[in-house]
Amino acid sequence: MYIEQAYKGLSEGWRYILGILGVLFVWQIIAAIPLIAALALKDGGMSAMISGDIGRMSLVLGSNLFLFLMLLTFAIALISIFVFVKYLHKQSLTSLTTSRKKVDFKRVWFAFFLWSAISVGFIFLDIWLSPEDYEFNFKPVPFIVLAIVAVFMIPLQTSMEEYFMRGYMMQGLGTMTKNKWFPLVFTSLLFGLLHIMNPEVEKLGYGILVFYIGTGFFLGIITLMDEGLELALGFHAANNLTTALLVTADWTAFQTDSLYRDISDPVLGWDILVPVLVVFPILLILFSKKYKWTNWKEKLAGKVVSREEFLNTEKEEIVQH
């Protein structure tokens, strides 16, 4: 009962509306002040920011400083989520994270290392198959700085997205609508559409949103089926971290001093569907076997019980133990 964990705090609808608006304000306004200030102090910085040109902003500040300040906005927003959950909802971080008694970090690490291995494998396979599309970009000092920034900050960025989308919004929408399919569909579509301003969309077209929305559904499904955020937290961190460290391009959201640069002229093809239609389903089967998932229909599209029913069930379990 992951969504029903919201009942362990104050779960009135107005609290979630206020909290979501509050997080968005902190994320988009307050947390952006350091980045805006840094750009304002550099020639051409403000014009780059106004145009929304990530490449120019990265060039003006330097890729590592820009990456740090961009990721800092997510870190500050993550803190704001925890603050709203604790003081507005009187809910514990554990119940926001999982339906288990405590957070299962083994699940986080399993998903992290599994997807890291798969991602690294796919990246180097593509480099081997199409070496003309890549340029070795290793520069020791910038790469070490990148690695430090990425290892410490990217997990905060991905955790913010997971706690906000699959955690806070999933629980809030579920308790308000009293079903599971709506928060799954809504947060998955929103997750995909929030990437619409990424330079990849401008370069490849709106078809790339199929990948982002598909990823949103995958993360939402594993959250509901596994009754917690642990697998999604590990997967998302691995995905962004391996990308930032291994490959960059002039047309991606993460423009870093990575090991390789993709110098090809990108084209949207059928390969964008491979993760969504092949890799993610295989991962779902693997996770389901490992963690013995059952009752898919109920967990993904069933009803969310009332607060009274949930609390009564909790009391019965306490008495039985």
Side-chain angles (χ1 to χ4, degrees):
M1 287 189 169
Y2 174 66
I3 288 178
E4 288 88 345
Q5 296 302 304
Y7 294 139
K8 291 184 176 179
L10 303 176
S11 56
E12 294 90 345
W14 68 265
R15 294 180 188 273
Y16 282 101
I17 294 172
L18 180 61
I20 289 170
L21 292 176
V23 171
L24 290 174
F25 177 77
V26 171
W27 182 20
Q28 298 297 312
I29 306 298
I30 303 299
I33 291 175
L35 176 59
I36 294 171
L39 287 168
L41 294 174
K42 295 285 188 176
D43 291 337
M46 291 305 293
S47 63
M49 183 186 68
I50 292 171
S51 67
D53 190 330
I54 291 178
R56 284 178 58 199
M57 288 189 280
S58 180
L59 187 63
V60 167
L61 291 178
S63 62
N64 284 329
L65 177 57
F66 174 70
L67 179 66
F68 172 78
L69 292 173
M70 182 178 69
L71 295 175
L72 182 62
T73 65
F74 290 87
I76 294 172
L78 178 63
I79 294 171
S80 76
I81 294 171
F82 295 161
V83 169
F84 279 112
V85 168
K86 180 177 181 179
Y87 293 104
L88 181 61
H89 295 272
K90 309 296 183 183
Q91 182 184 2
S92 69
L93 179 56
T94 299
S95 62
L96 177 66
T97 307
T98 185
S99 61
R100 286 168 273 276
K101 299 299 181 182
K102 59 181 181 179
V103 178
D104 187 349
F105 286 100
K106 288 183 179 179
R107 277 172 153 83
V108 178
W109 288 116
F110 177 74
F112 178 85
F113 286 118
L114 175 64
W115 188 242
S116 292
I118 293 172
S119 295
V120 170
F122 275 128
I123 289 170
F124 280 106
L125 176 63
D126 196 49
I127 292 173
W128 180 67
L129 292 174
S130 306
E132 69 280 2
D133 291 341
Y134 295 90
E135 177 182 85
F136 192 59
N137 188 54
F138 179 65
K139 303 180 186 70
V141 174
F143 181 79
I144 290 172
V145 175
L146 166 65
I148 293 171
V149 171
V151 168
F152 283 100
M153 298 298 290
I154 284 180
L156 296 178
Q157 175 244 329
T158 55
S159 293
M160 180 270 166
E161 293 185 8
E162 291 309 309
Y163 273 107
F164 190 46
M165 294 283 177
R166 258 68 61 177
Y168 192 64
M169 292 186 70
M170 185 86 82
Q171 288 187 349
L173 289 170
T175 54
M176 282 190 279
T177 62
K178 293 295 185 291
N179 65 61
K180 298 173 184 177
W181 69 264
F182 181 79
L184 172 60
V185 172
F186 183 88
T187 57
S188 300
L189 291 175
L190 182 61
F191 179 78
L193 293 176
L194 282 177
H195 291 81
I196 202 166
M197 298 304 294
N198 281 20
E200 295 97 322
V201 177
E202 181 180 349
K203 185 73 175 181
L204 297 172
Y206 292 113
I208 189 68
L209 293 177
V210 171
F211 170 74
Y212 292 125
I213 293 172
T215 302
F217 271 103
F218 170 74
L219 293 169
I221 290 170
I222 63 176
T223 296
L224 290 178
M225 289 304 303
D226 200 50
E227 301 286 1
L229 285 175
E230 291 98 333
L231 295 177
L233 288 168
F235 175 94
H236 202 162
N239 186 75
N240 287 24
L241 190 59
T242 53
T243 301
L245 291 176
L246 294 183
V247 181
T248 190
D250 294 336
W251 43 271
T252 60
F254 276 173
Q255 298 186 20
T256 64
D257 291 303
S258 56
L259 284 180
Y260 289 89
R261 293 187 66 82
D262 185 342
I263 57 175
S264 66
D265 187 19
V267 178
L268 187 66
W270 285 101
D271 56 322
I272 203 66
L273 298 177
V274 172
V276 177
L277 299 181
V278 179
V279 180
F280 292 168
I282 291 174
L283 285 177
L284 288 176
I285 294 172
L286 191 155
F287 286 143
S288 70
K289 297 295 184 182
K290 179 174 177 60
Y291 298 113
K292 298 177 173 59
W293 294 347
T294 57
N295 205 7
W296 289 67
K297 183 178 179 180
E298 174 60 29
K299 286 188 175 182
L300 298 180
K303 293 181 179 179
V304 172
V305 303
S306 68
R307 182 183 183 87
E308 291 72 21
E309 289 179 85
F310 175 77
L311 295 178
N312 286 335
T313 302
E314 288 280 298
K315 289 178 183 178
E316 290 175 5
E317 290 181 356
I318 292 173
V319 170
Q320 289 174 1
H321 285 86

